[in-house]
């Protein structure tokens, strides 16, 4: 699903990741804004990628829980997102991500990622 959205990695560092997404016609809802599912997926994927910067080799993360506040319609042709780690635990990582459209904050995500072995 993420590859269908064509999410692009634009930056990565310790505890953070930045991504972008082109909002094509197929990703818009009936009023022309980016669909809430697209905004949410971008935030979740980016926050998960940020969490992945903190796990050991052979481990990965899966979303355990999240909450998204849709602050305004996501208008424009491009969304940008920055995901960051809030707190790292042994089995859970708390994350946050902000999604921007046309220079305006349109969504804030808070999520909990479960640390898992890749072999599961």
């Amino acid at each position: 699903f993420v590859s269908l959205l064509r999410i692009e990695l634009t930056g990565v560092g310790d505890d953070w990741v930045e991504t972008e997404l082109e909002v094509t016609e197929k990703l818009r809802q009936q009023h022309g804004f980016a669909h809430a599912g697209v905004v949410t997926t971008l935030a979740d994927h980016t926050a998960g990628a940020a969490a992945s910067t903190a796990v050991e080799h052979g481990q990965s993360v899966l979303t355990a829980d999240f909450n998204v506040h849709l602050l305004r319609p996501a208008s424009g042709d491009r969304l940008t997102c920055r995901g960051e780690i809030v707190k790292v635990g042994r089995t859970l990582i708390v994350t946050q991500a902000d999604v921007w459209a046309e220079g305006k904050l349109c969504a804030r995500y808070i999520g909990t990622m479960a640390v898992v072995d890749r072999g599961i």
Side-chain angles (χ1 to χ4, degrees), residues 64-96:
D65 181 58
F66 69 84
N67 185 302
V68 177
H69 293 276
L70 300 168
L71 305 172
R72 65 173 36 93
S75 61
D77 295 328
R78 196 147 200 85
L79 301 178
T80 61
C81 183
R82 181 178 173 100
E84 300 176 346
I85 292 173
V86 175
K87 179 168 185 332
V88 176
R90 190 175 52 78
T91 60
L92 298 173
I93 300 173
V94 178
T95 60
Q96 68 180 27

Side-chain angles (χ1 to χ4, degrees), residues 22-88:
E22 180 184 351
V23 183
T24 63
E25 288 305 311
K26 291 183 178 184
L27 302 181
R28 298 180 189 278
Q29 45 86 291
Q30 69 273 19
H31 301 293
F33 303 115
H35 192 281
V38 172
V39 173
T40 300
T41 300
L42 179 62
D44 182 57
H45 178 70
T46 307
S52 294
T53 68
V55 298
E56 296 180 20
H57 181 72
Q59 292 182 318
S60 188
V61 297
L62 296 174
T63 303
D65 181 58
F66 69 84
N67 185 302
V68 177
H69 293 276
L70 300 168
L71 305 172
R72 65 173 36 93
S75 61
D77 295 328
R78 196 147 200 85
L79 301 178
T80 61
C81 183
R82 181 178 173 100
E84 300 176 346
I85 292 173
V86 175
K87 179 168 185 332
V88 176

